[in-house]
Amino acid sequence: MRKYFVTGLLILVPLAITLWVLNLIVGTMDQSLLLLPVRWRPEALFGFAIPGLGTILTLLVIFLTGLATRNFIGNRVVALWESILHRIPAVSYTHLRAHETL
């Protein structure tokens, strides 16, 4: 009887903690909807709150920021690197590009 109780605790306690932490994270991220104008919030648009919508919005904003930054900064770094290589007389840039594609 005691073994079953301990086994049940070992299964349920981590599961409960995981669900509690996820609820805390989703609840916190859902508060990002408070940054939207009142008329754009789900309560005003649909008449009820949509749990998790703030989480999706937050993750989408983070993803789009990373995408834009990586593309913008990445293009600048590549252009800078190419300009540096063009200034080195002993380095053949076309030779280096051929090896990069391999």
Side-chain angles (χ1 to χ4, degrees):
M1 186 78 153
R2 188 175 182 183
K3 287 189 233 181
Y4 297 132
F5 183 76
V6 171
T7 302
L9 280 178
L10 290 175
I11 298 298
L12 292 177
V13 169
L15 181 64
I17 291 172
T18 301
L19 292 175
W20 177 72
V21 168
L22 284 174
N23 186 35
L24 181 69
I25 291 170
V26 169
T28 302
M29 291 175 121
D30 275 349
Q31 290 180 2
S32 67
L33 292 175
L34 297 176
L35 299 173
L36 293 173
V38 176
R39 64 175 187 239
W40 290 3
R41 294 181 190 166
E43 296 86 13
L45 292 174
F46 307 115
F48 57 91
I50 302 173
L53 187 62
T55 302
I56 293 169
L57 177 68
T58 302
L59 294 175
L60 183 66
V61 167
I62 291 170
F63 174 76
L64 292 175
T65 303
L67 180 70
T69 303
R70 180 152 180 134
N71 286 333
F72 178 73
I73 292 174
N75 289 336
R76 286 201 168 255
V77 169
V78 168
L80 177 67
W81 182 249
E82 288 175 354
S83 69
I84 290 171
L85 286 179
H86 280 295
R87 293 179 187 181
I88 302 173
V91 177
S92 170
Y93 177 70
T94 55
H95 180 70
L96 287 175
R97 287 295 285 192
H99 286 288
E100 287 177 359
T101 58
L102 295 178

